[in-house]
Amino acid sequence: MHGGWRKNAFSGFLVAVGVMAAAAIPVRAQQPSAPSVSLTVTVGTTASVCGTSSDITVISGTPVYYCYTATNTSPDVPLDFHSLTDDVLGTLLTMEPISLAPGASTSRIFPGGSPTAEVNNTATWTARSAIDDFPEPTSAMASARVNVTVPTTTTTTTTTTTTTTTTTTTTTTTTTVPETSVAPPAPTTLPTTTTTTTTTTTVAPTTTIDAGSGPAAPTAPPDLPSTGSVEAALVTALLALLVLGAGTGLVAVARRPDDEPPLDA
């Protein structure tokens, strides 16, 4: 009986000693996990709204806007300072004080210009915690692409053919004119001009000398009929010339002998 009591008392002593020893050992607090962050980049055409796609197609010269969304993926480490760089747009944030609790997100929108050719952007988001146990930052990368199309000008040529039909109506009017007996024109009587030329010829008396009988008596010219015609005058003149010529010849014959003196008239 006394042996059993002693055994139980010793067992209780050992339990008490163990409890006291356990209480004397300090309990170390659980360490938080490492900080982490994720990044999403989208692009759109509205300045104040985040795009819904990381790959869009726009017409050349259309303004675009990039949206950068960072999420704290650590279960228990807050992120307090943030930096953002873009390989096309450059540095966008530098140690920006943004308190981002585990699981929370933040977005920032920046203009991306008006591209005229395809653009690929790669961004890096870097975050730091204010807890001294995590001096090293955490970062994440993401990309977005803008495809550009150049509008084509289509020239449509419309050829209109107009056909004009011209109808020419020719009206021929035949007029029957009754036959009319037309007398021939009367002959035209021209005035007749009669020119009467009266020629008066004076014939000198011709002396005919006969070599044997002496001077001859003057012979009067024959009486010619007096006419008013031209022909009569010419005949008269011709006869007078013949008479004169004959008388002159006789005188010449009478004077040819050199030994006879000329006869007195």
Side-chain angles (χ1 to χ4, degrees):
M1 182 176 180
H2 293 286
W5 176 82
R6 289 182 183 144
K7 185 178 179 179
N8 292 332
F10 182 72
S11 297
F13 174 74
L14 291 177
V15 171
V17 172
V19 171
M20 292 175 62
I25 299 173
V27 178
R28 187 173 182 179
Q30 184 178 359
Q31 293 293 327
S33 60
S36 62
V37 68
S38 66
L39 176 65
T40 301
V41 181
T42 59
V43 60
T45 57
T46 304
S48 58
V49 178
C50 286
T52 58
S53 176
S54 296
D55 192 333
I56 66 171
T57 300
V58 298
I59 297 176
S60 177
T62 302
V64 296
Y65 302 89
Y66 291 92
C67 177
Y68 305 86
T69 301
T71 301
N72 185 352
T73 56
S74 173
D76 51 11
V77 179
L79 301 175
D80 304 296
F81 302 98
H82 304 265
S83 299
L84 175 62
T85 59
D86 187 292
D87 63 347
V88 177
L89 303 181
T91 300
L92 303 175
L93 297 175
T94 301
M95 293 297 288
E96 189 76 13
I98 303 172
S99 181
L100 198 60
S105 298
T106 184
S107 297
R108 294 293 185 273
I109 299 175
F110 295 94
S114 302
T116 56
E118 180 180 317
V119 181
N120 290 278
N121 295 57
T122 299
T124 301
W125 189 289
T126 301
R128 294 175 180 272
S129 175
I131 299 176
D132 293 336
D133 292 340
F134 306 101
E136 296 299 325
T138 181
S139 62
M141 299 177 67
S143 299
R145 181 173 64 183
V146 176
N147 303 291
V148 176
T149 60
V150 178
T152 56
T153 302
T154 302
T155 302
T156 303
T157 303
T158 303
T159 303
T160 303
T161 303
T162 303
T163 303
T164 303
T165 303
T166 303
T167 303
T168 303
T169 303
T170 304
T171 303
T172 303
T173 303
T174 303
T175 304
T176 302
V177 179
E179 295 184 358
T180 303
S181 298
V182 179
T188 303
T189 302
L190 299 176
T192 302
T193 303
T194 302
T195 303
T196 303
T197 304
T198 303
T199 303
T200 303
T201 303
T202 303
V203 180
T206 302
T207 303
T208 302
I209 299 175
D210 190 351
S213 59
T219 303
D223 292 333
L224 295 177
S226 177
T227 177
S229 64
V230 176
E231 289 83 358
L234 291 175
V235 171
T236 303
L238 181 58
L239 291 176
L241 290 175
L242 290 175
V243 171
L244 290 174
T248 304
L250 292 176
V251 172
V253 171
R255 291 180 178 180
R256 288 185 63 182
D258 296 331
D259 53 353
E260 289 187 30
L263 299 177
D264 293 333

